[in-house]
Amino acid sequence: GGKVAINTTIINFNKEKMQITWATREILPNENVSFFYTFDEGKHKVWKPCTTYLLDQDYNSGCLFKTEGPTLAISIRSSNGSEELFFKIFKTDFYIKPSPPENVTFFWEEDTVTVSCNKPKRSALCLTLELQYKSKFDKEWQSRTSKCCSVGEQGFDPRKCYSFRVRLWRLSRHCNVENYSSDWEAETFWMNGTLLDSCDDDVTPQSKTVIVLSCSQAVLLMMLILLILLCKWQRVQTSVLPAIPDPKYSFADLFNDHNGNLQEWLVKNDHVVLQTKLEYEEPESITEAESQQEDGKNSDKQGPLEKIFTFSGAAENNDGKAAEIACLIPAPNTTAPFGGFHILMNDDMYVML
């Protein structure tokens, strides 16, 4: 009714509070309207002015007031209230927006979950309970509805974390003009019947154990690899850079008794050097004698061409020092007999005695 067609939205919050909003900015851009209402049904209505306005850029766009009866009449007027621009009368029970469900409980049995809430004191038959859920791998919510006040669903994976939320719907046609639903109850997070703070915390004790074991194995593997690399590096270092022996261990008396004085140590240890030389030469002489005996035996077996030849001067000389000589450097252009042949020898050749 009224002179101007104004779009209005009517919400009755669970039969406790009314909210009426209107859109007049497009029709009356420069006028700030006023609002009046009454729950009286007789001819003599007592209109009440709005005491709590909703504002849109400093313009009145709605009004909040207490629900006081089943029938409501509203009037939108000019700013001073003298001219009525819009009038409407309606039943408040057809615009009910239910409150969020109270005392929501979750019952888990294997892969099935049943969600229930307290049954409202009024108009429970006009309500349905909606359950929405999704795992952290899902992008969109899955929805299930049932009559108030219990709804169930199956097929939940115990290894996944799920987000749940529920709300109540007011049935249209039979109970409401508008299809209003309640606000969502607080979202909860569940995994295999266990309530979590969020799906980011869905790390089970088993997975924690797996993580700890994996980290331990990784550390042990790293230590083994480092040990192998260290051993190989020591071998490479030893082969490339061999250790230089410290002379103080071989000549301890040189450094301990003579403070590194080489001349003093040589004077004091002359007999030791001579004895060391003799000890060094004796095995060599023995080795050469044994070598000569073996060569003699081999020469007998292999023939006269493989006999070791000697110089005549050395054979006639019985001096003991001549027997100790292992190699003779021949004079230039020396002729040596060998198996009936005479060989001309130069500086680069030698013979074994």
Side-chain angles (χ1 to χ4, degrees), residues 54-74:
L54 303 177
L55 301 179
D56 179 15
Q57 298 181 1
D58 297 331
Y59 285 87
N60 297 335
S61 62
C63 182
L64 284 174
F65 53 93
K66 184 179 179 180
T67 303
E68 299 175 359
T71 303
L72 174 64
I74 61 175

Side-chain angles (χ1 to χ4, degrees), residues 9-10 18 53 77 88 92 97 122-123 130 152 154 163 222 225 242 259 264 282 305 319 350:
T9 301
I10 304 168
M18 298 295 302
Y53 277 104
R77 305 177 184 180
K88 186 175 183 178
T92 58
K97 178 181 176 68
R122 297 174 292 183
S123 304
E130 180 184 11
Q154 62 182 3
S163 303
M222 290 291 293
I225 294 174
N259 296 325
E264 181 180 346
E282 288 176 359
L305 292 178
D319 192 355
Y350 69 91

Side-chain angles (χ1 to χ4, degrees), residues 83-95:
E83 181 182 1
E84 187 176 70
L85 303 176
F86 180 82
F87 172 82
K88 186 175 183 178
I89 186 170
F90 53 89
K91 294 293 183 179
T92 58
D93 289 347
F94 291 157
Y95 298 89

Side-chain angles (χ1 to χ4, degrees), residues 113-127:
V113 60
T114 302
V115 183
S116 59
C117 65
N118 287 349
K119 191 173 183 179
K121 297 179 180 180
R122 297 174 292 183
S123 304
L125 295 177
C126 290
L127 299 174

